[in-house]
C-alpha cells in the first residue's frame, strides 16, 4: 500500500444521503475530490441537483436523486438502482437528522415519533440496505452521523441525544456483524458546525458566541472540516478503523466546564 494513494477513491461508488446542503454537501464534494463517483440524494430535488452540479463543474462525476429515508421501500429502490447502474456500492453516508428543542417532559408523542423516525429509522434503513450490498460484494464503508450529544446533553436535547447515542450503538453492531465480510462501519460526531440548519443559533449572537467559546478552539466548525473526515473513513487510510465514533468537535467533549480556574 503506497501512502500517496491510500486516500484516493478512484473507481469507487459513494452514496451520500442529505447531500444537498451543509455537512452532506461537503461530504459529497470531499468524496468526489478523491475520485469517487458520487450519488447525491436529498429530500429536496433542487438541492441534490445543485450539489451534483458543483461536483461535475469541478471535474467530478455525480448524479442527483430524491429520497426520504423514512420510506423503507424508497431506500431499497435507491440502493437497487445504484447497484444496477454501477454494479457496486463502496461508500454509504447518511447525514439527515432533525431536532425538536424543548424539555423532554413537554414532548408530544408526534414530536417524539418524528425525531426517532428520521434520526434512527432513517439511519437504520440506509445502513442496513447498503450493508447487505457491501456484505455480498465483500467490501464497503458505512458512515453514519451521530453528534457530541451522544455523550453530553444540554436542556432541550434529550430525545435528540437519545437518537444520537442509538446511532453509535447501531454502528457498533453493524461493525461487529459485517466486519468478517469486509465491511467497516463508523460514526462521526460533529460539534457545532456552521450550516444552514444552525442558522437560528447564529442569528442569536449570545447563543452563537457561547457555543464558540465552549470548544477548545473557540470557534464553530466548518462543513468541509467534517467532509474531510468522511473521505478519510471511506478510504484505505482508515482500513483498520471500524466500530467507533470520530468526534469532530474542536475539543468540545475533551474540555470540562466553562470556567478557567486560576492556576
Amino acid at each position: 500500500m503506497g501512502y500517496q494513494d491510500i486516500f484516493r477513491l478512484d473507481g469507487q461508488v459513494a452514496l451520500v444521503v442529505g447531500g444537498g446542503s451543509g455537512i452532506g454537501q461537503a461530504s459529497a464534494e470531499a468524496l468526489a475530490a478523491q475520485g469517487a463517483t458520487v450519488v447525491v440524494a436529498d429530500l429536496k430535488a433542487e438541492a441534490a441537483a445543485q450539489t451534483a452540479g458543483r461536483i461535475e463543474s469541478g471535474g467530478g462525476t455525480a448524479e442527483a436523486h430524491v429520497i426520504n429515508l423514512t420510506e423503507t421501500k424508497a431506500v431499497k429502490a435507491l440502493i437497487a438502482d445504484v447497484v444496477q447502474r454501477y454494479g457496486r456500492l463502496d461508500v454509504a453516508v447518511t447525514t439527515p437528522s432533525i431536532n425538536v428543542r424543548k424539555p423532554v417532559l413537554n414532548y408530544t408523542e408526534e414530536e417524539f415519533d418524528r425525531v426517532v423516525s428520521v434520526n434512527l429509522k432513517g439511519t437504520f434503513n440506509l445502513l442496513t440496505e447498503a450493508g447487505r450490498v457491501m456484505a455480498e460484494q465483500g467490501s464497503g464503508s458505512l458512515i453514519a452521523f451521530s453528534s457530541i450529544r451522544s455523550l453530553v446533553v444540554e436542556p432541550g436535547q434529550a430525545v435528540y441525544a437519545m437518537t444520537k447515542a442509538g446511532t453509535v450503538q447501531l454502528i457498533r453492531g453493524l461493525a461487529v456483524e459485517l466486519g468478517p465480510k469486509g465491511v467497516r462501519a463508523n460514526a462521526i460526531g460533529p460539534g457545532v458546525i456552521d450550516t444552514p440548519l444552525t442558522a437560528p443559533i447564529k442569528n442569536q449572537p449570545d447563543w452563537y458566541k457561547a457555543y464558540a467559546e465552549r470548544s477548545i478552539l473557540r470557534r464553530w466548525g466548518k462543513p468541509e472540516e467534517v467532509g474531510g473526515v468522511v473521505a478519510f473513513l471511506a478510504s484505505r487510510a482508515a482500513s483498520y478503523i471500524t466500530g467507533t465514533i470520530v468526534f469532530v468537535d474542536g475539543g468540545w467533549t475533551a474540555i470540562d466546564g466553562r470556567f478557567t480556574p486560576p492556576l
Side-chain angles (χ1 to χ4, degrees):
M1 180 185 297
Y3 285 111
Q4 70 273 21
D5 298 322
I6 60 175
F7 293 96
R8 295 295 302 174
L9 299 169
D10 302 286
Q12 295 199 24
V13 178
L15 169 63
V16 179
V17 179
S21 64
I23 291 174
Q25 183 179 75
S27 299
E29 292 180 347
L31 292 166
Q34 292 303 317
T37 294
V38 182
V39 178
V40 182
D42 199 277
L43 190 60
K44 299 178 180 179
E46 184 177 349
Q50 183 181 42
T51 298
R54 285 163 59 105
I55 289 172
E56 291 185 326
S57 66
T61 303
E63 63 178 62
H65 287 264
V66 176
I67 189 66
N68 182 340
L69 279 184
T70 65
E71 297 176 356
T72 305
K73 290 183 179 179
V75 174
K76 290 179 180 290
L78 174 60
I79 298 290
D81 181 68
V82 171
V83 175
Q84 182 179 20
R85 292 184 48 133
Y86 297 102
R88 61 187 302 106
L89 176 61
D90 301 289
V91 183
V93 183
T94 173
T95 68
S97 291
I98 60 172
N99 186 6
V100 177
R101 291 175 177 270
K102 65 191 302 185
V104 65
L105 296 184
N106 294 341
Y107 248 72
T108 66
E109 182 179 5
E110 184 276 332
E111 290 167 337
F112 179 89
D113 289 344
R114 183 153 53 93
V115 173
V116 171
S117 180
V118 173
N119 298 8
L120 281 180
K121 181 183 176 182
T123 299
F124 173 85
N125 282 344
L126 183 75
L127 294 180
T128 53
E129 205 58 38
R132 289 187 183 95
V133 172
M134 293 176 181
E136 185 174 345
Q137 71 187 19
S139 64
S141 176
L142 299 170
I143 303 170
F145 270 80
S146 179
S147 167
I148 56 173
R149 298 303 171 205
S150 64
L151 285 185
V152 294
V153 188
E154 68 178 10
Q157 297 213 60
V159 176
Y160 176 81
M162 175 195 75
T163 64
K164 291 307 176 179
T167 296
V168 175
Q169 291 301 85
L170 175 59
I171 279 291
R172 287 172 175 157
L174 286 165
V176 169
E177 295 178 6
L178 300 183
K181 298 181 180 180
V183 182
R184 295 183 296 109
N186 292 289
I188 294 176
V192 290
I193 308 297
D194 208 339
T195 70
L197 291 178
T198 55
I201 297 175
K202 191 172 183 178
N203 292 335
Q204 300 187 51
D206 290 343
W207 193 357
Y208 186 85
K209 180 181 178 182
Y211 270 15
E213 294 180 347
R214 174 64 175 79
S215 75
I216 293 173
L217 299 182
R218 301 281 176 160
R219 66 174 176 85
W220 284 52
K222 302 173 184 177
E224 55 266 31
E225 292 178 302
V226 185
V229 179
V230 170
F232 164 67
L233 288 176
S235 75
R236 288 177 296 156
S239 59
Y240 202 56
I241 299 176
T242 194
T244 193
I245 177 171
V246 178
F247 287 102
V248 188
D249 63 358
W252 185 295
T253 53
I255 192 168
D256 179 25
R258 302 184 181 185
F259 172 70
T260 301
L263 300 174

